[in-house]
Amino acid sequence: MIQIVIANIIDFIASMVQIYSGTVKEKGKILVLQIVQLGMQTVSMVLLGAIPGAISNVLSCVRNYLCYKNIFTWPIKIVLIVLSLILTVPFNNQGLLGYLPFAVCTIYVLFMDIKDPIKFKVLVTLTFVPWIFYFFIIKSYTGAFFAATTVVTNVWTLVQMIRGEKKE
């Protein structure tokens, strides 16, 4: 029980970073904030026994760093996807649920080099939705609540971005 409480406190702090990232419009800043958030959530997931989610988060930190440095090429994407699968299969302790982080992160990796900021914000928003359910199932209640809040924040920012683009 104490592990669940500690994990939720850590995830609460990570969620504050996550929510803030939903208000940011620049891709580089979003990626850096996600690295911080994912690092904290990795610790939370390990405490909750969600090893596939933790693996996904560590690889997502590497992915975001490479993307931030503009060295995220297709060969690197393929290596990260294959590495994610290779690590997920033997360490999956969650059955079918354990493949959700792999699937979501694969989609994100495939499309994260989108140049259009509106399309990128759509990608970020849609790939947060499955995490709501994952967090809830692993008992990261703060993670689930704030992932949902982040989706709402991202949608609000997306609407603002679209309105701003129409005014120009």
Side-chain angles (χ1 to χ4, degrees), residues 145-160:
F145 174 79
F146 286 111
T149 304
T150 300
V151 168
V152 171
T153 305
N154 274 299
V155 168
W156 178 80
T157 302
L158 188 56
V159 169
Q160 299 303 315

Side-chain angles (χ1 to χ4, degrees), residues 30-49:
I30 292 170
L31 293 171
V32 170
L33 289 167
Q34 283 182 348
I35 290 170
V36 172
Q37 170 241 326
L38 289 166
M40 289 187 281
Q41 283 183 331
T42 298
V43 174
S44 173
M45 287 182 181
V46 168
L47 288 172
L48 294 170

Side-chain angles (χ1 to χ4, degrees), residues 44-151:
S44 173
M45 287 182 181
V46 168
L47 288 172
L48 294 170
I51 303 307
I55 289 168
S56 176
N57 279 0
V58 169
L59 292 174
S60 293
C61 288
V62 172
R63 169 204 72 206
N64 284 9
Y65 177 77
L66 295 172
C67 188
Y68 178 74
K69 291 294 187 179
N70 292 316
I71 53 174
F72 199 60
T73 61
W74 272 98
I76 291 174
K77 285 183 176 190
I78 292 167
V79 167
L80 281 176
I81 290 169
V82 169
L83 186 58
S84 179
L85 183 62
I86 288 171
L87 291 172
T88 298
V89 171
F91 292 105
N92 182 6
N93 60 345
Q94 299 176 299
L96 193 56
L97 177 68
Y99 291 101
L100 181 67
F102 167 76
V104 172
C105 290
T106 297
I107 291 166
Y108 191 74
V109 164
L110 292 173
F111 297 105
M112 74 179 288
D113 54 359
I114 294 171
K115 301 295 183 217
D116 182 308
I118 291 175
K119 290 179 182 174
F120 182 72
K121 183 59 86 173
V122 168
L123 174 67
V124 170
T125 304
L126 292 177
T127 55
F128 259 106
V129 173
W131 286 106
I132 297 167
F133 303 102
Y134 186 81
F135 285 130
F136 187 77
I137 292 168
I138 67 168
K139 298 182 178 148
S140 177
Y141 304 116
T142 54
F145 174 79
F146 286 111
T149 304
T150 300
V151 168

